[in-house]
Every structure is written in structure tokens, then in C-alpha cells.
Amino acid sequence: MEATAFAKLIEQDLVKWRRNFHQIPETGLNLPLTRAYLKDELLSLGPRCRVVELKAGILVEIEPVDQVNAKRTPFLLRFDMDALPVQEETELDFSSRFQGYMHACGHDGHAAVGLGLAKILTANPGIQQGRVRIAFQAGEETLEGARLLVAEIDSWQGLQGPAPLTPAEPGREIALAMHLDPQLPRGVIAIKSGQLNARVDNLRVIFKGKPGHGAYPHLCADPVVAMASFVTAAQTIISRNLSPAQPAVLSFGKVAGGNVPNVIPEEIVLEGTLRSGGQDTASLVSSRLAQISAGIGQTYGVSVRTEIEEKCPAVLCDPDLAQWAKEILQTELPENIVSFDRILMGGDDFAFFSQVMPALMFRIGAGSEKKDIVYPLHSNRFNFDEKILVMAVAIFLNLITSNPENKEI
């Protein structure tokens, strides 16, 4: 039976799971209802589905039934399952039950796909080549979960507690992940070799001046005006210090300070994000921000302190895996495969897996059937065509049942 046929057998389950996940969106690392529902469904699959609860999620281990396949290259499949602090406005029959929270990034669909794979593999042991581990991960939206999950898994010796992974070597575990993408035509499978997602750095800039009455600004050192000049000057870094060919985005999204409109505050805190192609670009932007901070401070008579924290490295897709995946998927889905030729400025903490083992993340076009209305990821009206869930399961099945070169460890 081909992969798509296996996936179609559980289509109703996939839709049910996705809708149930969608109604209980939870954020960050604390997902009690999501975990409980997922664990109950996994335990119902029987003893072949070994379920282990971790701080950053739930890990499922499914071993092959014969010794030959047990020695072949193992797979680790990552599916994120956290939501966002967004008030849902979709008017779906299965909308979020929680005020101010929503699955606005498709992770409800991701989790359903992972659950579907667990069901198919446990029920059909003859199709499995190599060990398969399915990691249901919390905290992707905060870019925290994968770092913790990687630290909890010793990826080829079984669970050993909170120990870091050994650097990947040929023939060892392969990590695969997906992301639904409403900006791509429905059913398109976008595969990229090399860097897929941007490196993410968090920025925090503290402006400290001399407070006073808003009617007498000449007696103050105004951190608000200094902050405004800083934001304007910082935007020139990308346009005037980087080549147009270097991908980078610098955005500020949070300002805090002051209590009343007629008092110049002592302190303003500005927070933002830097998305870039890697270390060189991040270092250049960091250096220029420090220079601008010094100049702004001197000009306005305030102190300016800039703090930059690397939040998440770039997602790196192994070139050999990308080519292998294209060749495998073209046998069953030849018209759906496209090469992705740009770096996405969004971050994804699957990057932590790609640092320690051969990894591949692909994007699946999930645009709505209403082609004139496309709501992006993180929109309060985001939804996707559930028909895509069957295709997503089939993609993973095609890959994990076509072990690359049938390598043995």
C-alpha cells in the first residue's frame, strides 16, 4: 500500500485530532490540557508506542520489529504543539475555548500529523525501516522548547536524562520537521537546501535620562526623544550597512516607560528583534547599534545601554537530505515538489536539532480554498485546508519508509 493510501485511512482521525487540539490552545512550555489529550490518544495505540513525558514535550519511541531494520538509520520527527496569545476571530465551529489564545500558526495540524504517524506505524510494523521517534514539542513560539528537548534526549542510545546530544555522525539519527504555509499554493511541498529560517536575536535598549515636568523640557534629559531618534537611526543599518543580498530585518515591537502624559520619565525600555542570515550579519548590526547608542546618548544627554541576546540560531537543512527527499517524494507526488530559494525571516527552534544532527524541514502549502482570502501565520483569522493533513502524513511516511541508502549504524 502506498503512503497516501495509509494516510487516507485515518483522515477522519486527523481532522478530529486537529479540531480537538485547536479548541484547547496553550502557550509556552506549560501545556497541561494538550499534553493530557495527546498522552491519552498515544497510550490507546498499544505497547509498541513507548510514551515518555519530558519537560519540553512528549517523546514517542517506536522500534522496528526485526533486527535488520533495528540497525538502520533512525529518524526523529519533530512536531510543535503550542499556540499563541491571540484572540481568535475565525468563527469556526471548533474555535478556541480560551479567551485570548489561539492556534494561529498551524501547530494544531502539526500535532495531528505526528499523532497520525504514530497510529499508522504502531498498527503496521512491517512498513517501518529504522527506529522512529516522534517528539511533540512545547515552547516553539517562544523559541525555548527545542533547546530543552535536545538537552533531554540522547538521540541514539535511548533516553539518558538531561544530557546534551553528541554531534551527529554519518548514519546516525536524521531529524525531520514540517511547517504549514498559507502563502504557498495548497499541496505544494517546498524543500530548501542550506539555510531555511533566519537566526533570531532579541534586543533590549534602556534609555535613562533626567525626569521632570513636561512643561519644562529644558530642565530634563528626555529619554523619549532619544528613543525616537534611536529607532529612526537604527533602521538605516539594514539599508545602508548591509548588501541588498544579505537577508536581515530589524524591528521594534515594545516600548515601556512613563506613567502620565505631562511628566518626562526617567527611563524608557525599547525591545525588538533582529532576524538575519547568520553570525556575520548579526555581529555587524550589533556593532552599529552600539555606535548609534553612544552617539544618541551624547547628543541627548542620556545613558543608552543596548543588550543583545541570541535567541535561536538559523535552521540549516542538510543538502544531501534535501536532495534525497526530493528524489523520494517525486515518485509519488511529482507535481507538488518545488525548490525554495529564499531564507525565511521567521525563526524556528528546530534550528537546535539542525545543529547536532542531519536535519530537514519542509514547508507544505496550506492556502484556503477561498483563493482570494489568505490570512498569514499568526493572524487572528488564520485557518488552513484540512485536506492537507493527509498529504503531510504521506510525506513523512514516504521518507521514513525509504531509509536513505538503508544505512546501518
Side-chain angles (χ1 to χ4, degrees):
M1 188 184 297
E2 65 178 16
T4 299
F6 275 113
K8 283 183 177 178
L9 291 175
I10 62 164
E11 184 170 10
Q12 291 184 347
D13 287 327
L14 291 170
V15 172
K16 177 191 73 173
W17 292 328
R18 181 265 165 146
R19 295 185 178 188
N20 287 340
F21 282 128
H22 190 86
Q23 293 180 75
I24 53 171
E26 297 171 294
T27 59
L29 295 170
N30 186 29
L31 316 178
L33 295 179
T34 305
R35 279 175 173 266
Y37 176 73
L38 176 62
K39 186 177 178 182
D40 285 346
E41 292 294 324
L42 290 169
L43 291 176
S44 72
L45 301 180
R48 284 202 68 233
C49 183
R50 181 190 175 208
V51 180
V52 184
E53 292 204 62
L54 302 172
K55 292 179 182 178
I58 293 178
L59 184 71
V60 173
E61 293 189 325
I62 306 172
E63 297 286 351
V65 293
D66 61 82
Q67 291 300 312
V68 173
N69 282 325
K71 294 181 179 181
R72 288 179 175 164
T73 306
F75 287 92
L76 190 152
L77 316 179
R78 195 291 300 263
F79 298 97
D80 36 20
M81 56 181 181
D82 56 324
L84 287 158
V86 171
Q87 178 59 42
E88 182 163 359
E89 301 292 342
T90 62
E91 300 181 356
L92 294 169
D93 293 339
F94 51 92
S95 291
S96 168
R97 293 173 8 208
F98 304 148
Q99 188 76 11
Y101 295 92
M102 175 191 174
H103 268 292
C105 200
H107 294 186
D108 49 344
H110 298 179
V113 170
L115 192 47
L117 287 163
K119 180 168 185 173
I120 291 172
L121 291 175
T122 52
N124 301 278
I127 68 173
Q128 188 173 340
Q129 293 187 34
R131 182 185 64 202
V132 175
R133 302 210 286 188
I134 305 173
F136 295 91
Q137 182 201 311
E140 191 284 321
E141 294 292 357
T142 58
L143 301 178
E144 299 174 307
R147 187 198 299 265
L148 295 174
L149 198 62
V150 165
E152 290 185 277
I153 302 172
D154 182 306
S155 70
W156 22 86
Q157 299 298 326
L159 291 173
Q160 301 292 335
L165 293 169
T166 305
E169 295 178 7
R172 287 190 163 169
E173 194 161 30
I174 289 171
L176 300 176
M178 64 170 282
H179 208 299
L180 297 176
D181 191 335
Q183 304 304 121
L184 294 174
R186 187 180 64 173
V188 161
I189 306 165
I191 298 175
K192 188 176 188 299
S193 174
Q195 184 175 349
L196 176 63
N197 287 75
R199 165 185 164 133
V200 179
D201 290 89
N202 285 353
L203 309 178
R204 190 168 185 264
V205 189
I206 301 95
F207 303 84
K208 195 161 187 177
K210 182 180 178 182
H213 200 299
Y216 309 105
H218 59 290
L219 301 178
C220 308
D222 193 340
V224 178
V225 175
M227 181 271 296
S229 293
F230 176 90
V231 170
T232 301
Q235 292 305 314
T236 67
I237 297 173
I238 305 299
S239 64
R240 291 297 177 266
N241 297 113
L242 297 179
S243 162
Q246 287 179 270
V249 173
L250 179 60
S251 298
F252 296 100
K254 182 178 179 181
V255 179
N259 297 302
V260 291
N262 64 342
V263 174
I264 292 173
E266 180 178 14
E267 184 176 278
I268 294 290
V269 178
L270 175 69
E271 296 183 35
T273 183
L274 169 64
R275 310 299 174 97
S276 69
Q279 179 65 54
D280 290 345
T281 301
S283 296
L284 187 151
V285 174
S286 177
S287 175
R288 287 291 292 124
L289 284 172
Q291 293 168 355
I292 290 172
S293 296
I296 292 290
Q298 186 174 17
T299 300
Y300 294 96
V302 300
S303 70
V304 185
R305 187 172 82 252
T306 303
E307 300 172 354
I308 302 178
E309 171 199 14
E310 182 185 359
K311 187 67 175 178
C312 183
V315 174
L316 302 176
C317 294
D318 184 270
D320 291 337
L321 278 184
Q323 182 59 37
W324 164 76
K326 288 178 185 178
E327 292 172 358
I328 295 299
L329 296 176
Q330 281 172 348
T331 62
E332 189 168 336
L333 302 162
E335 298 179 357
N336 300 77
I337 311 300
V338 298
S339 294
F340 213 52
D341 58 0
R342 59 189 173 89
I343 296 174
L344 299 169
M345 289 293 98
D348 195 298
D349 68 357
F350 183 64
F352 290 104
F353 289 98
S354 74
Q355 286 193 320
V356 295
M357 65 180 77
L360 178 66
M361 170 179 270
F362 46 87
R363 298 181 75 85
I364 304 175
S368 170
E369 288 183 326
K370 297 180 179 179
K371 301 187 188 316
D372 56 329
I373 302 177
V374 178
Y375 294 108
L377 298 173
H378 293 207
S379 164
N380 61 0
R381 294 183 180 274
F382 170 74
N383 190 26
F384 63 87
D385 189 335
E386 292 173 330
K387 293 184 178 68
I388 212 67
L389 297 174
V390 167
M391 172 177 280
V393 170
I395 291 169
F396 280 99
L397 278 179
N398 269 299
L399 296 177
I400 63 180
T401 58
S402 303
N403 205 298
E405 300 179 15
N406 285 327
K407 292 179 180 177
E408 295 188 359
I409 299 175

